[in-house]
Amino acid sequence: MRFLGRLPALVAGALLALTALSAAPAQAGEAGASAAPVFKAPYPCGQQWTYSHHSAEVRRALDFVRSDGGATAGTPVLASAAGTATRYSQPSGAGNYIAIDHGGGWTTYYFHLSAYSVASGAWVAQGQQIGVTGSTGNSSGAHIHYEQLYNGAGQNIVINGVGLAYPGSYYQAYLTSDNGCGGSGYPFSTWGSGVNVRADARVTAAVVTTLTGPTAVRVLCQKQGDTVNAEGYSNNWWSKLRDQNGFISNIYIDHPDAKLPGVPLC
Protein backbone atom coordinates (compact mmCIF):
# COMPACT_ATOMS: atom_id res chain seq x y z
CA MET A 1 0.00 0.00 0.00
CA ARG A 2 1.42 3.36 -1.00
CA PHE A 3 0.40 6.79 0.18
CA LEU A 4 1.09 9.62 -2.19
CA GLY A 5 3.43 12.24 -0.85
CA ARG A 6 4.17 13.47 -4.35
CA LEU A 7 2.32 16.38 -5.87
CA PRO A 8 0.96 16.31 -9.41
CA ALA A 9 2.88 18.44 -11.86
CA LEU A 10 0.31 21.22 -11.74
CA VAL A 11 0.43 21.51 -7.98
CA ALA A 12 4.19 21.17 -7.99
CA GLY A 13 4.34 24.19 -10.25
CA ALA A 14 2.26 26.15 -7.81
CA LEU A 15 4.56 25.11 -5.00
CA LEU A 16 7.55 26.40 -6.93
CA ALA A 17 5.99 29.82 -6.96
CA LEU A 18 5.62 30.01 -3.22
CA THR A 19 8.30 32.02 -1.47
CA ALA A 20 7.72 29.93 1.67
CA LEU A 21 8.87 26.83 -0.21
CA SER A 22 12.08 27.22 -2.16
CA ALA A 23 12.43 24.70 -4.97
CA ALA A 24 16.20 24.75 -5.32
CA PRO A 25 17.57 21.27 -6.10
CA ALA A 26 19.60 19.29 -3.62
CA GLN A 27 23.36 19.50 -3.89
CA ALA A 28 25.38 16.67 -2.40
CA GLY A 29 27.84 18.07 0.11
CA GLU A 30 26.51 21.58 -0.41
CA ALA A 31 26.76 22.35 3.30
CA GLY A 32 29.40 21.15 5.70
CA ALA A 33 28.13 18.45 8.01
CA SER A 34 29.49 20.39 10.99
CA ALA A 35 27.00 23.19 10.25
CA ALA A 36 23.96 20.92 10.54
CA PRO A 37 22.07 20.15 13.75
CA VAL A 38 21.99 16.51 14.81
CA PHE A 39 18.55 15.82 13.36
CA LYS A 40 16.41 13.01 14.77
CA ALA A 41 13.37 11.22 13.37
CA PRO A 42 10.20 13.36 13.34
CA TYR A 43 8.13 10.88 15.38
CA PRO A 44 8.22 9.46 18.93
CA CYS A 45 10.89 7.40 20.64
CA GLY A 46 10.86 3.68 19.92
CA GLN A 47 8.50 3.78 16.93
CA GLN A 48 9.54 2.16 13.65
CA TRP A 49 8.43 3.79 10.39
CA THR A 50 9.12 2.99 6.76
CA TYR A 51 9.81 5.70 4.20
CA SER A 52 10.04 6.42 0.49
CA HIS A 53 10.83 9.16 -2.00
CA HIS A 54 8.80 10.03 -5.07
CA SER A 55 10.54 11.45 -8.11
CA ALA A 56 7.90 14.16 -8.59
CA GLU A 57 8.72 15.77 -5.22
CA VAL A 58 9.80 19.39 -5.38
CA ARG A 59 12.84 18.76 -3.20
CA ARG A 60 14.66 15.88 -1.51
CA ALA A 61 11.72 14.92 0.71
CA LEU A 62 11.00 11.59 2.36
CA ASP A 63 7.50 10.39 3.25
CA PHE A 64 7.11 8.34 6.44
CA VAL A 65 4.37 5.87 7.51
CA ARG A 66 4.32 3.60 10.56
CA SER A 67 5.46 0.00 10.14
CA ASP A 68 5.34 -1.22 13.75
CA GLY A 69 1.63 -1.99 13.92
CA GLY A 70 0.61 1.42 15.23
CA ALA A 71 -1.68 3.83 13.39
CA THR A 72 0.02 6.51 11.30
CA ALA A 73 -2.91 8.93 11.57
CA GLY A 74 -3.00 10.67 14.92
CA THR A 75 0.62 9.95 15.86
CA PRO A 76 2.47 13.00 17.25
CA VAL A 77 4.90 14.76 14.93
CA LEU A 78 8.06 15.82 16.79
CA ALA A 79 10.63 18.53 16.13
CA SER A 80 13.72 16.80 14.74
CA ALA A 81 15.90 19.59 16.17
CA ALA A 82 15.33 22.70 18.29
CA GLY A 83 14.31 25.97 16.67
CA THR A 84 11.53 28.45 15.94
CA ALA A 85 8.32 26.94 14.55
CA THR A 86 6.06 28.71 12.05
CA ARG A 87 2.64 27.42 11.05
CA TYR A 88 1.42 27.45 7.43
CA SER A 89 -1.60 26.18 5.51
CA GLN A 90 -1.75 25.28 1.82
CA PRO A 91 -4.98 23.36 1.11
CA SER A 92 -4.01 22.58 -2.50
CA GLY A 93 -0.60 21.14 -1.64
CA ALA A 94 1.23 20.80 1.68
CA GLY A 95 -1.95 21.12 3.75
CA ASN A 96 -1.33 22.18 7.33
CA TYR A 97 2.41 22.27 7.82
CA ILE A 98 5.13 23.59 10.08
CA ALA A 99 8.56 24.93 9.22
CA ILE A 100 11.22 25.03 11.94
CA ASP A 101 14.12 27.45 11.59
CA HIS A 102 17.08 25.83 13.34
CA GLY A 103 19.52 28.69 12.71
CA GLY A 104 22.68 28.62 10.64
CA GLY A 105 20.63 28.36 7.44
CA TRP A 106 18.94 25.06 8.39
CA THR A 107 15.16 24.51 8.20
CA THR A 108 12.91 21.46 8.37
CA TYR A 109 9.37 21.02 6.97
CA TYR A 110 6.56 18.78 8.25
CA PHE A 111 3.59 18.53 5.82
CA HIS A 112 -0.03 17.26 5.91
CA LEU A 113 -0.66 17.72 9.66
CA SER A 114 -4.17 17.07 10.92
CA ALA A 115 -3.57 19.57 13.74
CA TYR A 116 -0.93 21.95 15.08
CA SER A 117 0.44 21.49 18.59
CA VAL A 118 2.44 24.73 18.96
CA ALA A 119 1.82 28.39 18.28
CA SER A 120 3.37 30.10 15.30
CA GLY A 121 6.63 31.74 16.35
CA ALA A 122 7.13 29.42 19.34
CA TRP A 123 10.57 28.10 20.25
CA VAL A 124 10.45 24.30 20.33
CA ALA A 125 12.88 21.81 21.80
CA GLN A 126 14.11 18.72 19.98
CA GLY A 127 11.57 15.97 20.57
CA GLN A 128 8.72 18.38 21.38
CA GLN A 129 5.39 17.62 19.75
CA ILE A 130 4.64 20.20 17.04
CA GLY A 131 1.63 18.61 15.36
CA VAL A 132 -0.38 15.48 14.62
CA THR A 133 0.12 13.21 11.63
CA GLY A 134 -2.67 13.54 9.07
CA SER A 135 -3.53 13.77 5.39
CA THR A 136 -4.43 17.43 4.80
CA GLY A 137 -3.75 19.07 1.47
CA ASN A 138 -2.82 17.04 -1.60
CA SER A 139 -2.43 13.66 0.07
CA SER A 140 -4.15 10.31 -0.36
CA GLY A 141 -3.31 8.90 3.06
CA ALA A 142 -1.84 9.84 6.42
CA HIS A 143 1.94 10.26 6.41
CA ILE A 144 4.70 12.69 7.42
CA HIS A 145 6.26 14.48 4.49
CA TYR A 146 9.62 15.56 5.90
CA GLU A 147 12.35 17.79 4.47
CA GLN A 148 15.70 19.24 5.52
CA LEU A 149 16.85 22.43 3.80
CA TYR A 150 20.05 24.45 3.94
CA ASN A 151 19.78 28.08 2.81
CA GLY A 152 16.50 27.16 1.09
CA ALA A 153 17.90 24.21 -0.87
CA GLY A 154 16.57 20.72 -0.20
CA GLN A 155 19.19 18.36 1.20
CA ASN A 156 19.49 14.60 1.30
CA ILE A 157 18.02 13.72 4.67
CA VAL A 158 20.40 12.82 7.48
CA ILE A 159 19.25 11.39 10.83
CA ASN A 160 21.69 11.08 13.75
CA GLY A 161 24.50 11.95 11.36
CA VAL A 162 23.68 9.12 8.92
CA GLY A 163 22.23 9.72 5.46
CA LEU A 164 19.02 7.83 4.72
CA ALA A 165 18.33 5.77 1.62
CA TYR A 166 15.91 7.03 -1.04
CA PRO A 167 13.77 3.97 -1.95
CA GLY A 168 11.02 4.38 -4.52
CA SER A 169 8.40 2.64 -2.39
CA TYR A 170 7.61 1.83 1.22
CA TYR A 171 8.76 -1.28 3.12
CA GLN A 172 12.23 -1.29 1.63
CA ALA A 173 13.85 0.90 4.30
CA TYR A 174 12.97 1.47 7.96
CA LEU A 175 13.92 3.88 10.73
CA THR A 176 13.36 3.49 14.47
CA SER A 177 13.21 6.79 16.33
CA ASP A 178 15.32 7.76 19.32
CA ASN A 179 13.81 11.24 19.39
CA GLY A 180 12.89 12.12 22.96
CA CYS A 181 14.29 8.89 24.40
CA GLY A 182 16.87 10.72 26.47
CA GLY A 183 14.57 13.50 27.64
CA SER A 184 14.02 14.48 31.24
CA GLY A 185 10.50 13.09 31.19
CA TYR A 186 7.23 14.31 32.69
CA PRO A 187 6.89 14.30 36.50
CA PHE A 188 4.20 12.13 38.08
CA SER A 189 3.72 10.12 41.24
CA THR A 190 2.61 6.52 41.60
CA TRP A 191 0.29 5.00 44.17
CA GLY A 192 0.06 1.55 45.69
CA SER A 193 2.77 -0.83 46.89
CA GLY A 194 4.54 -3.70 45.20
CA VAL A 195 3.96 -2.23 41.73
CA ASN A 196 5.98 -4.08 39.11
CA VAL A 197 7.88 -2.19 36.43
CA ARG A 198 8.03 -4.40 33.33
CA ALA A 199 10.17 -4.59 30.22
CA ASP A 200 7.13 -3.94 28.00
CA ALA A 201 3.45 -2.96 28.26
CA ARG A 202 2.38 -6.55 28.94
CA VAL A 203 1.50 -8.24 32.21
CA THR A 204 3.67 -11.21 31.17
CA ALA A 205 6.75 -9.08 30.36
CA ALA A 206 9.81 -9.49 32.54
CA VAL A 207 9.86 -7.51 35.79
CA VAL A 208 12.60 -4.86 35.72
CA THR A 209 12.08 -3.62 39.27
CA THR A 210 9.32 -3.18 41.86
CA LEU A 211 8.11 0.09 43.39
CA THR A 212 7.63 -0.65 47.09
CA GLY A 213 5.37 2.36 47.68
CA PRO A 214 4.27 5.71 46.23
CA THR A 215 7.17 6.96 44.10
CA ALA A 216 8.04 10.15 42.21
CA VAL A 217 8.71 9.08 38.61
CA ARG A 218 9.58 10.63 35.26
CA VAL A 219 7.43 9.41 32.35
CA LEU A 220 9.12 9.50 28.93
CA CYS A 221 6.19 8.32 26.81
CA GLN A 222 3.09 6.10 26.91
CA LYS A 223 1.50 3.41 24.78
CA GLN A 224 -1.39 0.96 24.82
CA GLY A 225 -0.83 -2.59 26.01
CA ASP A 226 -2.51 -5.21 28.19
CA THR A 227 -5.54 -4.15 30.22
CA VAL A 228 -4.91 -3.96 33.96
CA ASN A 229 -7.66 -3.96 36.61
CA ALA A 230 -7.26 -2.48 40.09
CA GLU A 231 -9.50 -0.86 42.68
CA GLY A 232 -12.50 -1.18 40.35
CA TYR A 233 -10.77 0.54 37.43
CA SER A 234 -9.47 -0.76 34.10
CA ASN A 235 -6.74 0.77 31.96
CA ASN A 236 -4.77 -0.42 28.92
CA TRP A 237 -2.36 2.55 28.80
CA TRP A 238 1.19 2.09 30.07
CA SER A 239 3.93 4.61 30.88
CA LYS A 240 7.63 4.21 30.18
CA LEU A 241 9.60 5.35 33.23
CA ARG A 242 12.91 7.10 32.69
CA ASP A 243 14.80 6.09 35.81
CA GLN A 244 13.42 2.55 36.09
CA ASN A 245 13.82 1.90 32.34
CA GLY A 246 10.56 0.00 32.07
CA PHE A 247 6.77 0.27 31.88
CA ILE A 248 4.01 0.43 34.47
CA SER A 249 0.29 0.48 33.89
CA ASN A 250 -1.14 4.00 33.98
CA ILE A 251 -3.61 2.67 36.52
CA TYR A 252 -0.79 3.09 39.05
CA ILE A 253 -0.01 6.67 38.01
CA ASP A 254 -1.65 9.12 40.39
CA HIS A 255 -3.71 10.94 37.75
CA PRO A 256 -7.46 10.76 36.97
CA ASP A 257 -7.02 10.32 33.20
CA ALA A 258 -6.39 6.88 31.68
CA LYS A 259 -4.17 8.44 29.02
CA LEU A 260 -1.82 10.99 30.57
CA PRO A 261 -2.24 14.49 29.11
CA GLY A 262 0.76 16.04 27.39
CA VAL A 263 2.82 12.83 27.38
CA PRO A 264 3.86 11.66 23.88
CA LEU A 265 3.22 8.21 22.50
CA CYS A 266 6.02 5.66 22.50
Side-chain angles (χ1 to χ4, degrees), residues 6-46:
R6 59 183 162 189
L7 304 179
L10 208 56
V11 176
L15 278 172
L16 289 171
L18 292 175
T19 58
L21 301 174
S22 167
Q27 299 290 328
E30 180 177 346
S34 61
V38 179
F39 293 113
K40 293 188 177 294
Y43 44 86
C45 172

Side-chain angles (χ1 to χ4, degrees), residues 122-139:
W123 173 264
V124 296
Q126 184 176 65
Q128 181 175 339
Q129 181 173 340
I130 58 171
V132 178
T133 304
S135 187
T136 58
N138 188 8
S139 169

Side-chain angles (χ1 to χ4, degrees), residues 44-45 51 98 134 206 245:
C45 172
Y51 55 90
I98 281 181
N245 194 29

Side-chain angles (χ1 to χ4, degrees), residues 14 26 43 56 124 147 167 194 229 241 258:
Y43 44 86
V124 296
E147 301 183 27
N229 302 294
L241 305 185

Side-chain angles (χ1 to χ4, degrees), residues 5 20 35 127 195 234:
V195 176
S234 295

Side-chain angles (χ1 to χ4, degrees), residues 196-200 202-209 246-247:
N196 288 325
V197 180
R198 298 186 178 273
D200 200 2
R202 295 178 289 108
V203 295
T204 57
V207 175
V208 175
T209 188
F247 290 85

Side-chain angles (χ1 to χ4, degrees), residues 231-247:
E231 300 289 328
Y233 296 95
S234 295
N235 197 342
N236 71 338
W237 283 95
W238 292 64
S239 289
K240 184 173 185 179
L241 305 185
R242 180 193 67 181
D243 300 323
Q244 292 77 17
N245 194 29
F247 290 85

